Amino acid sequence: MSIMYIILLFLRISIYISPTVLAKKPLNNARVTYIVHVQREPNMASFSNKEEREQWHKSFLPTTTTAGSGQPRIIYSYNNIISGFAARLTREELEAVKNKNGFIHAIPDRLLHVATTHSPGFLGLDTSSTGFWASSNYGKGVIIGVLDTGVTPDHPSFSDQGIPSPPAKWKGVCGFTSATCNNKLIGARTFLEGMNAVQPTDTAQEPYDNNGHGTHTASTAAGMFVENANINGLATGTAAGMAPHAHLAIYKVCHDHGTCANSDVLAGIDQAVQDGVDIISASLSGGSANFYEDNNAIGSFSAIEKGVFVSFAAGNDGPAYKTLSNEAPWIITVGASTMDRYLTSTVVLGNGDAIEGQTAYQPQSFKPIPLPLIYPGFTLSTAATCTNGSLDTINVKGMMVVCDEGDNDLAEKGSNVQNAGGVAMIIANFKGDGYTTTASPHVLPAAHISYNDGVSIKAYISTASAPTATILFNGTLLGVTPSPMMASFSSRGPSKADPFTLKPDIIAPGVNILAAWPFSPGPTPSIGANFNLDSGTSMATPHISGIAALLKAVHPNWSPAAIKSAMMTSADITGNDGNPIADYTLEVADYFGTGAGHVNPTKASVPGFVYDLDPASYIPYLCGLGYTDANVTVVVGSSVTCADVTPITGSELNYPSFMVFLTLSNSYTVTVNRTVTNVGDATSTYSVKVIEPRGSSVTVNPETITFSGENQQSQYSVTFSNSVGGTRMAAYSRGSLIWASSDGNTTVRSPIMVAIVNNHNVSLNGLNMMKYAQRLSPFETNLQLPMQVLQLLLSMNMSIICMILLFLRVSIYISPTLAQKHGNDARVTYIIHVQREPNKASFSANEERKHWHTSFLPTTTDASSGQPRIIYSYSNVVSGFAARLTSQELEAVKKKNGFIQAIPDRLLHLATTHSPSFLGLDTSSTGFWSSSNYGKGVIIGVLDTGITPNHSSFSDNGMPSPPTKWKGVCGFTSSSCNNKLIGARILLDGMNVTQPTDTTQEPYDNNGHGTHTASTAAGMFVENANINGLANGTAAGMAPYAHLAIYKVCHDDGTCSGSDVLAGIDQAVQDGVDIISASLAFRSLPFYQDDWAIGSFGAMEKGVFVSFAAGNKGPSNSTLSNEAPWIITVGASTMDRALISTVVLGSGDVIEGQTAYQPKSFEQTPLPLTYPGSTLSTAATCTNGSLDSVNVTGMMVVCDEGDNDLVDKGNNVKNAGGAAMIIANYEDYGYTTIASPHVLPVAHVSYNDGVRVKAYISTASTPTATIFFNGTLFGVTPSPMMASFSSRGPNLADPFILKPDIIAPGVNILAAWPISPGPTPSTGPNFNLDSGTSMATPHISGIAALLKAVHPDWSPAAIKSAMMTSVDITGNDGNPIADYTLERADYFATGAGHVNPTKASVPGFVYDIDSASYIPYLCGLGYTDAQVTVVVGSSVTCADVTPISGSELNYPSFMMFLTTSNNYSMTVNRTVTNVGDASSTYSVKVVEPASHQ
C-alpha cells in the first residue's frame, strides 16, 4: 500500500479510506504523490525566488519523466521547514530519484476523508432568483417573536446587513444597556418577575441569553447568512435561518440559571402581541391539559385573534402514543424528523455477501483483506457481548470479532476486542433495536449492523469451514434512503385533550440541527461566535416559525389558520425513496407521528386553496368539548354561553386534516363539512381523489370544486362509514383526501385517520363518542384516560406545575423545594383569570389596569414581605393578572365578582454548563487575560479545513494591526480578512492531483472542523453563547485578541493530503506565525518517517511553538500520535457537571443516579419496586417483549444495563405499563452513568448501587421507591477526569519520553461552526458541541499565545515547560486526577497534568532546549545519519556527537528504565533557566515511585 492515511481527530466523526485508492497496490506505472527530502544545496540561499527553487527540485526528476497527463509533477517546493519537494511519481521514477546525488528520503503522501452534512438545500431553499427565498424577499418586513432564554445580540446571526427598518406598527423596546439592537434584532425584553417571586434574583437582569436555547431557536427561525458554518468537521456550508431577512423580537422568559415561570411566559406572549409581532415561536411544552387550564393555549388564542401565527413544539416524549403537548387546534404543533446522512462501513463476508453498517472510525491504515471471523458467543455465552474480561479464554488474536449489542458501551466492546488481540469488530443489534445502528468512535475498525444482518453473519460463521470477512470504509453518504424519517423522541398522538383533532400538525427537521450559541458549555470558554448541535422538537419548531414568516411576507393578508393550512396541505408524505415517510423502525410512520407530513416551504407558498378559520369558529368547538361556560370564557377571553351555540366536535372544525370515529355498525355514518378559500389562480378547478382508510368508505360531495375569483369560497362534505360491518379492524387506519388542480400543478392533501369503536348498539356523537375515543388503543397500545393537570398537581401535593423547555438530552426537573404542599400562609404565584371590565377601553395606562386587578385582592392582603403582590397585569392575550397569594387569600379572590379561574404558576429548570472560569480565565483587571493583554500581537496559525471569515468569533473589534513581520495573504475574493483573521491560504494541490477539483477554490471552511478549532484557540468574545439550553455564558477563545492565520489543507469534501499539510506548516513559518495548532493525528512512526515531526522540527528551529493532538484511540495503552519531544502532545479531559436523579428506597436509603428526562408531572410518591430479572432471567435487561409475561404495571422497574439501548429499555418498560425505571450498571461499567433522554422517570445508577437496590428488593416484603429530580449539578467531584477516548502512552516512537505532555478540556466543547449539519440550514453564526483531543489541542495553542504575549522571548521549549511544570495534578476533590474508572489516572494518560493558564504564566524556572540539543538525542535513537538529516534538515554525522537517550534530554518530565539489579542506577542531568524573581531559591522534594529511590 503506497498511500497512508491521516486521522483528522474529532470524536464521532466519520473517517474512511477511499476503497478506489487504497484497496489495491499501485502498479509500476501508477503515479503516487511522494514527499521527497533532499540535502540542502550549499548555495541554496542564492535562490532569489520560488521558480529557482522549483527548478532545483525538478533536477531530481529523471529525464524520462513526462507530464503527459497534464498534471504538474512537482506539486510543492518546500523551503522553510524541510529541504525537499512533493511530486507525482511512478515507482520506476521514484527509484531513479533515489539514485540522484542529494536524495535523502521519500515518504508516500497520506490522505484523510471526513464526513460533511447538508446545506439549506435539504428544504429546497436557495438563493436563486427564482426560488421561494427570493419570491418571499427572504421574509423582509415580518416580525418573529421568540419566547425563550434570551438572545446573543452581537452574534453574526443577528447582523442587520441589508435589513430594512422595522414596520411602523412595531412598538417594542430594546432591553439592553451595553448592546444595541438593530434592524434584525429589533427588540428584546425580560420577563422574570414570576421567577423572582419564587426565587428572588436580580430584577434588573437584561435579556442576554446565558443559557443557549434562545439563541439557538431564534437563529434557526431568522438568523442571517453566515458563510462556512460547520461543527467539528461534520458539516460545512452557509448557515441561515428559515427567514434570513425577517425581524426578530426576543422575550426572555427564562432565567440565566435555566428556570422559567409560566406567568413570565404568559407575560411574554402578552407583550409580544402588544409590540406587534407577526409570528410567535415557542419551543416549550408541558404535557396534555384541558385548554382552559393550558396557559399556552389560552395566550395563543388571543394571539391568533389578533392575527399572530403561533408555533409550539409537540414534545420529546416519543415514541410512546398520547404524549403530545400543545394540542389546541389554533396552534401549529410541530414534530421532529431526521436527515439523510450515513457513515458507512461495509462488511464483505468470505461468501461474497456485503452488509452495510456504520462507524465513525474508519482508519486509513486498515487493509481490506480477509480476516478470520469469529463469534465468541458460540463458544461462551457470556462472551457474546464482549464485556471486559469475557474474551480472556477465547482466542481472537488477528481476527474480526462479532459482538452482540448490550451489556457495555459500543466503544468499550472495541477496546476489549483490541486488548484481547482482535483487529476488527462487527456489532450486531438485538432484535429490539432492529435497523437502528450507530456511528460510534471506535478504537479499531468496526461495523454496527442491524439485527437481521447479524443473524445472517452468525449463520455464515456456523456453516463455513473457515469463515472470513473484511471491512471497507465508504465515509459519509448523503442522500441515504429513506429520509426524512420520524425522530424516535418526537411526541406522538392521538391528542388527549381532544381525540377528534389529528395532532401533531406537521414535522420539520429537528435532529442534529446546528445553530447559534452564546458560549461553550464545556469546562473552558469557546472561541468567538459559537455553534452547537442539538436535537428535539425545540429545533423543529423555529423551522416552522421561520417558514411561516416567509409565507406571511408573500401573503400578508393570510390569517394564522391560512398559513397553517398552506403548510399542512402541501407537506411531503414520502421520503427520498418514494415511499411513505418511515418511522425509526423502518415501518411506515403513522399520522400520530408525522401529522400532515414533512414541511415543504416552496410548495406551501402556492397551496391552491386553504382551510381558513376565524377565532369565533372555535367557540362551538370548545363548547363541544364539554367545557362549562366559565371554561370557554377563560380560553376566548369574553363571556360565552354554550347554550346559545350549536356545539361541534373537532372532526367538524374547518381543519386541514380529518380525525373521525366510527362504530362497527354499518348504519353509523359521520358527515363533516369543509369550507375552502381560493388563494391560487382566480379561475381554477380541482377534482377529488380519496385513498380510503382500511375498513372505511369515504364519499365526497361534490367531487369537483371550481373557482372563478380570488379569495372565493367553496364548500364540500365528506361522509365516512364502516365498510366491513361487524368485523373488528385495527384501532386506527389512515388515508388521504387529495384535491388536484386541472392544470396538474397543484395538489391539496389532507390526512385522514379513522377509528372504529367496538360498539354495535349505540349511535354515538359528541361527548359520548369522546368517552370511547379516550379509551381507544392506537394500534393495540393501551392508553389511559387523560388526567387533568390540576388533579395531577393535587395528587402530587404540589402547587407548582413544571413546563418542559424541549431539547433532547437536556436536564429538566422540579425543584425539590416546590415538591411539598404549601401551608395556608405560604405565598404561591397564581395566574388569575377575570372577566373583562366593560369599560376596559378606558384604561389609558398600565397603572389603571393594575389598579383594577388589585381590586380583586382581599383588603387584608399583607405586603409586608416587600415583594409585589401583583406581578403582572395582562391585557392582550388574557384578561387577568399574576399575583402572590396564600391559600386563604386565594379563596377570598375566588369570591370576587368577575373571578373566573386561578391556575398555579409553573416552573421549568434547564441544565446549564460552565463559563470560561473553569480554566480560571476572567476579565478582571488582575487576571491572566488582562496581564497577557488577551494575547495581542501573537499570531496563531491553524492548519485545518479552512475558516468561516464572517463569523463573529473572528470579529476584529478592538484588535490592533498585525505585527510588521507578517507576510501572509488573504485568500478570499468575496470576503475580507481583518485584524483578527489576518490571513488565509488554501493548499490543496496535493489533493487535486489525487482527486482533481477546482484549483481556484478559496479557504472557506465548508466542513466545520477548522472553524471550531480556530475559534477555540483565538475566537473573540461573543456574549450569551449556548447550545440547546445546556450552557450559557460569554464565549471566547483562549487568546481572544491574538491574530489568526488559516491554512486550509483539507478539501471541502473532507479530504486532506500529507503533502498539503506539510505545505501548510512550511507556509505558516514563512508567513511569520508564532504558534501552529494542528488537531491531527495518525499513529506512532519513527520521526524520520513522520512528516509532522519533520515539519514541526523546522518550525521549532525558527521559534514557532507547535501543538498537536495525542489521538482518540484510548483508553488502550501505546496508542499515541505525535510523540516527538519538540511537539506538545495534548490529551483530553472532562468537566464537572451531572444531571441528577435521586432514588429514595422504602428503607430510606438514598441513591444518586443520572437522567436527562426529569418530568414535572411525575408524582414523587412511593411506587412498588420490582426487578424482573429475579422472576425471569431473560427479562433482566428489559429487552423488547421480555416483560410481556412479567407484571410491571404501575411499578418502578429495575433494568440491568446491556442487551439494548438505555432509552429502548424505558420504551419497553413504559409499553409494559411500568411507571418509572432504575438502570443498574454491570460490574465492568462501575460508576460510569449516563444522562439519557428517557421516555419515563429514570435513574441510571452505578453497579454498587444497583446491588444495593436488588438486595433491598429481595429482602423487603413490599419494596417501594420514588425518584426526585435535582437537575444540573456543577462542581461534581472528581473533575477534571481523563476522557476515555484520549490516547495513552507509553510512547512507541521513543519509550524514554513520557507522553502525552499535558491534558486540556476536550469533552463537550462548544465552538464556532459554519453551517448546520442537519437537513436544513441553521440560523446565523452556528455553534456545535464536540469532543476529542482535536478540541483539547487548540486550548493549549491559545494558552501558548497568551504566554508568548507575556514572555515574547521564550522559546517553544520554555513555553511548553511552563505549562507542564505548573499543571494541576489533583481534581476538585483534592485527590489525584481520576481516570474514567474512578481509579487514579496514570501519567500515560495525563502526562504532566491538567493545564492551568494562570500558573503557567509564572512558572519560576523552565527546562529549555535548543534545536541543536535534539541531534544527539536523535542519534541516540539509533537513527542513521541520513535519517537524522531528514529530521533536522542539515547534514549530520552521528559519529561526531555523543548520543543520549530521551531520559537525558532536558525535558520537564522523567521516563526511566531500571533493571532488577540493585547495582544498576541511572543518572540524568537537567538545566533550568530562571524566569521568575531575579533572586530566588528553590528546595527539592521527591515523591519517589514505589520500590525505587
Side-chain angles (χ1 to χ4, degrees), residues 1169-1189:
L1169 181 64
T1170 184
Y1171 174 50
S1174 61
T1175 305
L1176 186 66
S1177 61
T1178 56
T1181 54
C1182 303
T1183 55
N1184 189 23
S1186 67
L1187 302 176
D1188 290 350
S1189 59

Side-chain angles (χ1 to χ4, degrees), residues 827-905:
R827 293 194 176 94
V828 177
T829 302
Y830 292 89
I831 297 172
I832 313 293
H833 296 265
V834 299
Q835 294 176 359
R836 293 191 184 274
E837 180 72 356
N839 65 342
K840 179 190 170 193
S842 66
F843 290 152
S844 60
N846 287 334
E847 289 72 17
E848 293 182 18
R849 184 180 303 106
K850 189 170 183 178
H851 182 73
W852 155 247
H853 289 156
T854 303
S855 71
F856 282 86
L857 300 182
T859 56
T860 57
T861 300
D862 175 28
S864 59
S865 68
Q867 293 180 336
R869 306 309 299 278
I870 295 281
I871 299 171
Y872 292 112
S873 285
Y874 304 115
S875 62
N876 293 284
V877 295
V878 300
S879 173
F881 56 94
R884 295 276 291 167
L885 301 170
T886 66
S887 58
Q888 291 178 343
E889 292 167 348
L890 176 62
E891 291 304 314
V893 171
K894 289 180 178 179
K895 296 175 182 177
K896 295 280 186 175
N897 289 333
F899 171 85
I900 298 175
Q901 177 179 256
I903 301 176
D905 203 359

Side-chain angles (χ1 to χ4, degrees), residues 627-647:
Y627 292 173
T628 66
D629 293 351
N631 295 153
V632 178
T633 297
V634 166
V635 176
V636 303
S638 58
S639 181
V640 171
T641 304
C642 284
D644 296 339
V645 300
T646 302

Side-chain angles (χ1 to χ4, degrees), residues 15 17 23 44 111 114 120 256 350 569 582 608 683 689 761 899 1073 1079:
I15 305 166
I17 302 171
M44 190 175 177
L111 295 180
V114 293
D256 288 347
T569 61
T683 303
K689 175 185 177 182
N761 303 316
F899 171 85
V1073 305
S1079 292

Side-chain angles (χ1 to χ4, degrees), residues 294 364 390 417 479 505 541 553 573 611 637 643 661 841 900 931 1055 1060 1074 1161 1181 1242 1255 1302 1441 1486 1488:
D294 183 346
Q364 62 284 6
S390 65
V417 169
D505 293 304
T541 302
I573 59 171
Y611 296 82
F661 290 82
I900 298 175
S931 64
T1055 309
D1060 295 331
D1074 300 294
S1161 59
T1181 54
V1242 170
I1302 202 165
V1441 301
V1486 177
E1488 293 181 338

Side-chain angles (χ1 to χ4, degrees), residues 304 309 558-566 610-614 618 656:
I304 63 104
F309 178 92
W558 277 9
S559 68
I563 294 173
K564 177 178 179 179
S565 172
V610 295
Y611 296 82
D612 211 353
L613 269 166
D614 63 9
Y618 291 107

